[in-house]
Amino acid sequence: GVGPVDLSNPATYRKRRATKVASKVRTMAAGNTHSIYVDGTGELHFFGANFLGQLGISPIASRIFSDSTVNFDRVVALACGADFTILLRSDGSVMGAGDNAHEQLGPIPGPPSTPVFTNFFNKVDRIAQVANQSNSYVLKSDGTVWSFGHKDYLGDTSSTHISTPRQIPTLSNIIAIGATNKTGMALDVTGKIWAWGENTSGSCGQGVSTSLFTSPVLISSLFDIIYIDGTIQGNLLGSSACAIDVNGDLYTWGINEDYILGDGTDIKRLSPVRASITSKDFSVSMSEENTFVLNADNTVEVWGHWTNDGSTSSGIYNLLRGINTTSKIIKRGGVRELVGVWQVINTLLTG
């Protein structure tokens, strides 16, 4: 979606500097290799990989290199897993397309993927938010969280994959949800974070490397939290998560390759630590190798893997280098939120 790709030249596989792709964007998200966004009219746009139909069109077109649409409108919120997409339409219907190996798109008949957007959940007492990673999670307006997909990351003790949304019984009064690679997160009305799922990298924030928490556990060291996020795309070593409190302080935990946690080290953190190289943060988005922060002064900062930092850092294409200090990208007026490519969808239905 940001220009032609020469398959014989790896240097064209990525863009090191920020490139304008679209304008008048209402919300956006991305998976491992595909990106989607909704424009001001509610129409869905997409580009990137489509091997499993994650763009909502036939996988005969395995890649879409430019901004495309299929006249699919009335979209109010969306989210991406690794190779699938879910979206919420104005009538309250939740639809999905792409990889469905763990029934994270519901009991859709056919092969373990669906190449067209198919309805798999309808509005019940008004759905408030949707978010997902390898599983799917739904936050309802009554503060309950519902999950389906892979059995290990549902937030309960299920022994089988679940294709129909089922309530996580220990969660209530939830106002936001998020996810890392295979970990779910929920923020309650008191500012506390609950986490469940895979924990080999410490993404549940418990201070231990216990491999799995099947039910939500409280991250007791964090309070007065207003924002949560995590890395959803795959990493063999695990994933990372972050949170911002009412004072604008950023806390991070999990794997710390390329200094992604912003604590001045590359040490894995099993429990949250304060990111020491930034302050007064308003919004945050984490990718597999970088962290992007929107500050209160409307500047965007980034740290982590240098080839993805959006700056003019020089070096050899395949050189791995961690940036241990923030790199200012650009100051933009009117930036309200880093709607990251792997982030909680924050749209509230009031109708």
Side-chain angles (χ1 to χ4, degrees):
V2 289
V5 175
D6 181 355
L7 297 181
S8 65
N9 181 10
T12 67
Y13 290 3
R14 68 180 73 188
K15 294 288 183 179
R16 287 183 50 229
R17 300 197 63 181
T19 303
K20 183 176 179 180
V21 178
S23 59
K24 298 182 179 179
V25 176
R26 177 186 296 174
T27 186
M28 62 183 179
N32 271 355
T33 54
H34 72 290
S35 300
I36 56 176
Y37 74 90
V38 177
D39 66 21
T41 68
E43 185 171 15
L44 182 71
H45 297 247
F46 53 81
F47 45 88
N50 190 48
F51 298 101
L52 295 174
Q54 56 265 49
L55 299 181
I57 61 175
S58 171
I60 293 176
S62 60
R63 290 187 184 93
I64 300 296
F65 293 114
S66 59
D67 189 333
S68 302
T69 65
V70 287
N71 297 318
F72 198 86
D73 58 8
R74 296 185 295 122
V75 180
V76 297
L78 46 80
C80 291
D83 295 304
F84 67 95
T85 301
I86 62 173
L87 52 84
L88 174 65
R89 304 190 79 182
S90 58
D91 62 358
S93 60
V94 181
M95 309 187 77
D99 179 25
N100 195 35
H102 301 298
E103 298 184 323
Q104 62 266 42
L105 301 181
I108 300 173
S113 66
T114 175
V116 294
F117 283 107
T118 305
N119 180 60
F120 66 97
F121 193 50
N122 289 311
K123 178 165 59 177
V124 179
D125 297 327
R126 296 200 305 255
I127 296 172
Q129 300 183 25
V130 293
N132 73 292
Q133 34 99 333
S134 59
N135 287 43
S136 296
Y137 304 106
V138 175
L139 173 61
K140 292 172 56 177
S141 62
D142 62 2
T144 59
V145 179
W146 299 66
S147 66
F148 42 110
H150 197 289
K151 62 183 179 62
D152 291 339
Y153 320 123
L154 293 170
D156 59 23
T157 57
S158 177
S159 59
T160 60
H161 301 324
I162 300 298
S163 61
T164 301
R166 185 167 67 187
Q167 184 178 349
I168 300 178
T170 58
L171 294 178
S172 61
N173 297 316
I174 301 302
I175 59 173
I177 54 178
T180 73
N181 209 18
K182 297 179 181 178
T183 306
M185 297 188 296
L187 175 65
D188 70 22
V189 71
T190 67
K192 297 177 181 178
I193 301 176
W194 302 81
W196 64 94
E198 186 181 63
N199 186 57
T200 53
S201 60
S203 52
C204 285
Q206 298 302 299
V208 296
S209 56
T210 303
S211 61
L212 182 69
F213 288 96
T214 56
S215 297
V217 289
L218 176 67
I219 303 180
S220 58
S221 61
L222 294 178
F223 50 91
D224 293 334
I225 299 299
I226 61 174
Y227 197 95
I228 56 176
D229 189 45
T231 57
I232 291 181
Q233 69 278 30
N235 188 311
L236 295 178
L237 299 179
S239 52
S240 310
C242 60
I244 296 176
D245 68 11
V246 292
N247 299 312
D249 291 328
L250 174 66
Y251 292 86
T252 56
W253 60 98
I255 61 169
N256 199 11
E257 284 190 305
D258 299 308
Y259 304 97
I260 189 175
L261 297 186
D263 66 342
T265 77
D266 58 358
I267 300 172
K268 178 173 69 175
R269 300 295 186 178
L270 300 178
S271 56
V273 294
R274 182 178 173 182
S276 58
I277 62 177
T278 185
S279 63
K280 300 300 180 183
D281 300 321
F282 182 77
S283 180
V284 60
S285 182
M286 300 185 85
S287 71
E288 181 179 350
E289 298 174 321
N290 293 85
T291 299
F292 299 81
V293 168
L294 176 62
N295 300 131
D297 65 358
N298 230 21
T299 58
V300 178
E301 293 181 317
V302 58
W303 58 89
H305 198 301
W306 74 271
T307 56
N308 306 323
D309 69 357
S311 71
T312 57
S313 301
S314 61
I316 301 172
Y317 167 73
N318 60 358
L319 177 66
L320 296 178
R321 185 182 75 184
I323 294 176
N324 198 17
T325 57
T326 58
S327 173
K328 293 273 187 178
I329 299 179
I330 191 168
K331 183 169 182 177
R332 289 195 179 275
V335 179
R336 294 181 302 168
E337 183 180 13
L338 280 178
V339 185
V341 291
W342 301 275
Q343 180 175 317
V344 180
I345 299 301
N346 247 346
T347 301
L348 176 64
L349 282 186
T350 57

